[in-house]
Amino acid sequence: RSFAVRRALSSSSSSTARHSSEGGDDDVYDMVVIGGGSGGVRASRIASGHGAKVALIEGQLNHGAPNYSAIGGTCVNVGCVPKKLMVFAGRYPGAISEAKGYGWNGATPGTFDWKQFMEYKDAEITRLNNVYNNFVLGNAGVEVVEGYGSMNGPDEVEVKCSDGSTRTLKTKNTVIAVGGWPYKPDIPGAEYTITSNEIFYLEEQPKRIVVVGGGFIACEFASIMDGLGSDVTLMYRGDLFLRGFDQDMREHLKEEMTENTNIDLQFNTNPKEIIKNDDGSLTVVTEDGNEIECDEVLMATGRKGKLDNLNLESAGVHTENSFIPVDDYSKTNVDNIYAVGDITDRIALTPVALMEGHRLADTLFGGADRPVDHEAVASTVFTNPEIGTVGLTEEEAAERLGDIDVYKSRFRAMAHSFPKSEIYSLFKIIVDAKTDRVVGCHVATDGAGEMIQGVAIAVKMGATKADFDATIGIHPTSAEELVTMRSVSYKYRDGVKVED
């Protein structure tokens, strides 16, 4: 392709020529990406693989303050990866508590060393930063620029480099992939609270923590900190957390948290003030006038797009609130400017950003026509139990399809029933009654994330309930329940629930 030829020619140019903001076509990038997160890295790597001349701009190449996120994005630095490591750590006490039921007498979880864990975590994230910079991008031929990029019209990106210098990059296409940033409500004392950024860098484990919010980040950190031994209060302004998830899964998680954790669930509760006490502790004052003393308050109250200092107005890029609207090809209202990932406010998940960046690069430089595809995106909430979900919720399916059949099973998994733990799993399949197609699957159980990934393939391919029924189960597993549920639990007709 012409891009491959151009890249071969430009590779012999000196770095000085590539840093020049004047000159011929060799000085113009095919694509400049602002933001080195999941979407930006994937778009850069794939575009470069197609022969495009690509530069990626990222504010810092190593994790930690002030940006917290670095090369690799939120997921690698202050999101999915360190969070999952904390999830693993927090589950050991629960597993050990069941050891006696298997004949292991005297087993105890010991004591959790927060500082030691954080040292190990920091080393792992540093390793990943280096992998992204030197191998994922470096081996792909992407030029990585450490600094902050902003638009200067539709065809130039100004960079304030980390060494104090400035650069002007001329580009044929620009991709905005700056991601999001935690949002704190504007209440007195909010400055004393932390977010999902700072919790990964606390020097000491808070003995008492209040988590404010009802999304998956709030629920996950409540589970994590409870597992690590902190006294946890989960405070949410609504009736029930995880709005937008299947109602049965939401209620099941509430029940399991109530019965099998020490988390103090406080619904319909909102903080109105945070007071810092003389001893360094905090007091959360709720709108009802109640007070809760704690060591840290984690605000998990949503995220906004990170639009600050991008100078998008110079290029005429339209924004809504703190996000950038795009079409199915991730194009903004300006023909050569695109946006992928959380900044677009579509689905804020790492694999979705990867898909968006990959498809954009294939469309621009790979000779393909690849719009984004946000249908049947699987996801997992890493609470205890995990919730794995793909496709439509019961509520969505009833409203959209009218006629649906619901299959549901609640049971104790073998791992918990043998030691006589009262820990329950919930499995649910939603079927379009007119076509027999499985349009939704939701599971709350150990390893739900690992399980739902395989189910997502079937749902994405359009598998029917008959296909599920024809599949031989693996015994003994909890997952075999997905292919052995034969009786409809209840149905909807014309959107109205009908009990058998």
Side-chain angles (χ1 to χ4, degrees):
R1 292 188 179 93
S2 61
F3 288 109
V5 174
R6 183 186 306 143
R7 185 158 190 86
L9 293 173
S10 65
S11 63
S12 62
S13 304
S14 68
S15 59
T16 302
R18 293 190 66 165
H19 290 179
S20 172
S21 61
E22 299 179 359
D25 191 57
D26 282 346
D27 299 313
V28 179
Y29 290 88
D30 296 308
M31 186 169 78
V32 170
V33 178
I34 304 177
S38 300
V41 167
R42 179 61 64 89
S44 301
R45 180 173 67 83
I46 300 303
S48 185
H50 287 313
K53 179 181 178 182
V54 182
L56 180 142
I57 305 163
E58 172 56 44
Q60 60 186 61
L61 302 185
N62 295 292
H63 68 95
N67 295 340
Y68 295 101
S69 181
I71 195 74
T74 298
C75 176
V76 168
N77 296 277
V78 285
C80 326
V81 173
K83 174 200 71 181
K84 191 67 180 291
L85 297 176
M86 293 183 78
V87 167
F88 290 143
R91 286 178 177 168
Y92 279 100
I96 293 171
S97 70
E98 293 183 317
K100 182 174 175 54
Y102 284 93
W104 289 94
N105 294 314
T108 65
T111 58
F112 179 69
D113 191 325
W114 178 273
K115 290 185 178 180
Q116 185 179 62
F117 173 84
M118 287 299 173
E119 288 177 3
Y120 295 161
K121 183 271 298 180
D122 287 345
E124 174 63 6
I125 305 307
T126 296
R127 183 186 72 82
L128 292 175
N129 289 154
N130 291 333
V131 167
Y132 271 83
N133 187 29
N134 298 320
F135 295 96
V136 175
L137 293 171
N139 287 351
V142 176
E143 180 184 352
V144 178
V145 182
E146 185 173 14
Y148 299 93
S150 62
M151 301 303 301
N152 181 28
D155 304 313
E156 288 186 347
V157 176
E158 299 283 353
V159 186
K160 294 181 179 179
C161 300
S162 59
D163 62 4
S165 65
T166 60
R167 291 179 57 183
T168 298
L169 308 183
K170 292 188 176 183
T171 180
K172 297 176 181 179
N173 300 281
T174 301
V175 180
I176 309 297
V178 292
W181 193 256
Y183 163 79
K184 291 183 181 182
D186 185 15
I187 61 173
E191 66 272 18
Y192 303 130
T193 67
I194 62 173
T195 69
S196 55
N197 286 339
E198 294 86 3
I199 194 168
F200 293 111
Y201 295 93
L202 294 179
E203 293 186 3
E204 296 183 357
Q205 178 181 353
K207 295 180 179 179
R208 304 164 299 172
I209 185 169
V210 173
V211 180
V212 181
F216 71 90
I217 294 175
C219 292
E220 288 175 340
F221 274 110
S223 290
I224 288 168
M225 298 308 292
D226 174 70
L228 296 178
S230 297
D231 292 333
V232 180
T233 300
L234 179 57
M235 188 178 292
Y236 178 50
R237 64 184 180 181
D239 295 333
L240 187 62
F241 43 42
L242 295 181
R243 181 168 57 90
F245 284 77
D246 186 88
Q247 183 70 16
D248 281 335
M249 295 295 128
R250 300 168 69 195
E251 293 177 355
H252 182 77
L253 181 60
K254 175 187 176 182
E255 181 178 337
E256 289 297 307
M257 279 188 169
T258 301
E259 297 297 326
N260 295 308
T261 77
N262 294 314
I263 301 170
D264 180 10
L265 298 177
Q266 296 192 8
F267 296 110
N268 299 305
T269 305
N270 214 25
K272 72 173 183 180
E273 183 181 7
I274 312 295
I275 299 172
K276 188 164 187 177
N277 304 312
D278 292 340
D279 63 356
S281 66
L282 302 174
T283 299
V284 180
V285 183
T286 71
E287 292 176 347
D288 295 332
N290 296 321
E291 296 185 355
I292 303 173
E293 288 196 6
C294 61
D295 302 302
E296 295 288 354
V297 177
L298 171 63
M299 288 292 186
T301 46
R303 295 174 68 85
K304 289 190 172 183
K306 202 174 179 182
L307 286 180
D308 296 345
N309 304 315
L310 289 177
N311 196 27
L312 296 177
E313 57 274 15
S314 72
V317 176
H318 174 64
T319 63
E320 290 182 4
N321 299 317
S322 63
F323 299 100
I324 302 175
V326 292
D327 64 14
D328 287 344
Y329 292 88
S330 296
K331 185 171 72 68
T332 70
N333 63 302
V334 180
D335 283 343
N336 67 328
I337 300 179
Y338 303 83
V340 298
D342 292 4
I343 193 64
T344 64
D345 197 26
R346 291 181 281 189
I347 299 177
L349 294 171
T350 292
V352 173
L354 293 172
M355 175 270 294
E356 292 168 356
H358 198 134
R359 288 179 177 237
L360 173 60
D362 282 347
T363 298
L364 290 179
F365 304 109
D369 182 359
R370 301 195 71 198
V372 296
D373 181 1
H374 294 113
E375 290 297 316
V377 174
S379 64
T380 297
V381 184
F382 291 102
T383 45
N384 296 316
E386 289 183 7
I387 295 176
T389 176
V390 62
L392 302 178
T393 66
E394 177 182 322
E395 297 74 31
E396 291 170 338
E399 181 179 356
R400 187 179 305 183
L401 302 175
D403 295 353
I404 62 171
D405 295 333
V406 179
Y407 298 78
K408 191 159 61 174
S409 178
R410 181 178 181 270
F411 60 95
R412 282 195 297 169
M414 179 186 290
H416 301 303
S417 64
F418 184 76
K420 297 179 172 56
S421 298
E422 293 295 321
I423 298 174
Y424 286 83
S425 297
L426 179 65
F427 281 48
K428 188 172 183 180
I429 297 174
I430 301 165
V431 179
D432 182 345
K434 296 176 181 177
T435 65
D436 196 43
R437 180 175 177 177
V438 175
V439 295
C441 183
H442 312 274
V443 296
T445 192
D446 300 337
E450 305 291 346
M451 193 181 300
I452 206 68
Q453 181 67 85
V455 178
I457 298 172
V459 172
K460 186 71 174 176
M461 292 176 67
T464 63
K465 184 60 168 63
D467 292 325
F468 274 55
D469 295 343
T471 302
I472 304 300
I474 302 172
H475 185 74
T477 65
S478 294
E480 67 183 308
E481 198 75 11
L482 292 167
V483 299
T484 58
M485 285 189 280
R486 295 289 190 267
S487 300
V488 175
S489 299
Y490 50 86
K491 63 185 69 171
Y492 286 75
R493 293 298 179 262
D494 295 324
V496 178
K497 189 175 182 179
V498 179
E499 298 280 0
D500 287 339

